Amino acid sequence: MDYIFLAATPLFRGTTPEEIQGMLTCLRAQEKKYEKGSMIFRAGDTVHEVGLVLSGSVSIENDDLWGNKTILDRVEPGRVFAETYACVPGEALLINVVAAEPSEILFLDIGRMVESCPNACGHHSKLIRNLLAISAQKNLNLSRRSLHTAPKSIRGRLVAYLSDQALRQGTRDFYIPFNRQQLADYLNVDRSALSSELGRMQREGLLTAEKNHFTMSEQSLDDYR
């Protein structure tokens, strides 16, 4: 276990690697490995553990009755998932959690995290504060996605998402965490239609796109719409 890595994660912020080593026993930590495409949690499951990604990444997905998939989030190393459901006993998941690539996940018992343990461990308050901050950040991310998918046109959604990525990364030349299908799922549009619109935008000189690498031109934002 890489305790230095864990100490740098948002969940364990403010604790030392030595402290974490003792905390993992208290939290009944379990490390599991998953192959790409493996289902970690399925819609309808109830959970009592928080998952922390050690390596790889997981995709938070929603499938409707017709098999249409919407990607809600991509969880990278150091981030957690399922904490909201774990905090509400008996609440069934509305989403699937899938390994987007070969991944290692650390599972932590939520009950031991939010309640005082028999060992009188003094780190629970830090974990609770960190968990609250993580939850608040995720609410902001959901709000951001709502803004990305609010425009009615595919071009409008692309402009909203790519402009936000350029702003957050501080450059017009950037990479996004999605492949073409995942981007279509995230924006809730058809992949072929998305590819066609990207092609038109490239022909118009608005951007260049190669896989998940994008370069936005210096034209006015109005020219993109």
Side-chain angles (χ1 to χ4, degrees):
M1 184 67 64
D2 188 346
Y3 299 107
I4 296 177
F5 166 78
L6 289 178
T9 65
L11 182 61
F12 288 102
R13 183 178 291 117
T15 56
T16 67
E18 293 74 22
E19 289 171 336
I20 293 172
Q21 188 170 3
M23 292 169 66
L24 293 187
T25 299
C26 174
L27 298 173
R28 295 174 179 165
Q30 297 184 65
E31 184 179 351
K32 296 182 181 180
K33 296 182 179 182
Y34 294 89
E35 296 298 322
K36 181 179 180 179
S38 298
M39 190 74 69
I40 300 172
F41 291 139
R42 191 180 301 274
D45 289 347
T46 57
V47 299
H48 60 86
E49 296 174 315
V50 174
L52 189 155
V53 180
L54 298 176
S55 66
S57 62
V58 304
S59 180
I60 309 299
E61 305 175 354
N62 176 62
D63 295 334
D64 64 23
L65 292 175
W66 293 272
N68 299 309
K69 180 184 300 181
T70 301
I71 295 180
L72 304 176
D73 197 9
R74 182 77 171 262
V75 186
E76 304 289 346
R79 293 179 58 200
V80 301
F81 60 89
E83 73 287 349
T84 300
Y85 291 97
C87 286
V88 185
E91 185 69 24
L93 272 71
L94 299 175
I95 45 81
N96 296 320
V97 182
V98 183
E101 55 188 307
S103 304
E104 294 179 276
I105 310 297
L106 183 67
F107 292 98
L108 307 166
D109 189 293
I110 191 69
R112 301 300 293 269
M113 187 180 299
V114 300
E115 298 177 2
S116 296
C117 69
N119 298 325
C121 177
H123 307 294
H124 291 273
S125 60
K126 289 182 181 178
L127 285 177
I128 293 172
R129 287 197 300 269
N130 291 343
L131 198 60
L132 179 60
I134 289 169
S135 180
Q137 183 61 57
K138 287 194 173 184
N139 284 334
L140 290 175
N141 291 342
L142 287 175
S143 297
R144 182 177 290 113
R145 183 174 185 271
S146 295
L147 293 175
H148 295 160
T149 57
K152 294 182 179 180
S153 69
I154 294 176
R155 177 171 293 205
R157 295 185 182 191
L158 276 167
V159 170
Y161 175 72
L162 294 175
S163 296
D164 182 51
Q165 287 293 312
L167 181 64
R168 295 175 68 190
Q169 297 186 41
T171 176
R172 293 176 179 270
D173 187 274
F174 55 88
Y175 290 85
I176 65 172
F178 301 131
N179 60 32
R180 196 60 51 85
Q181 181 62 61
Q182 291 166 339
L183 178 59
D185 292 339
Y186 176 82
L187 296 177
N188 200 22
V189 299
D190 178 76
R191 176 180 175 174
S192 296
L194 175 74
S195 295
S196 296
E197 188 59 49
L198 281 172
R200 282 190 289 270
M201 294 176 75
Q202 290 193 83
R203 290 192 294 273
E204 292 171 21
L206 300 176
L207 56 79
T208 59
E210 183 177 357
K211 296 184 178 179
N212 67 332
H213 178 229
F214 288 81
T215 303
M216 307 287 282
S217 75
E218 297 184 3
Q219 293 175 252
S220 167
L221 183 61
D222 290 336
D223 295 334
Y224 285 82
R225 301 188 185 281

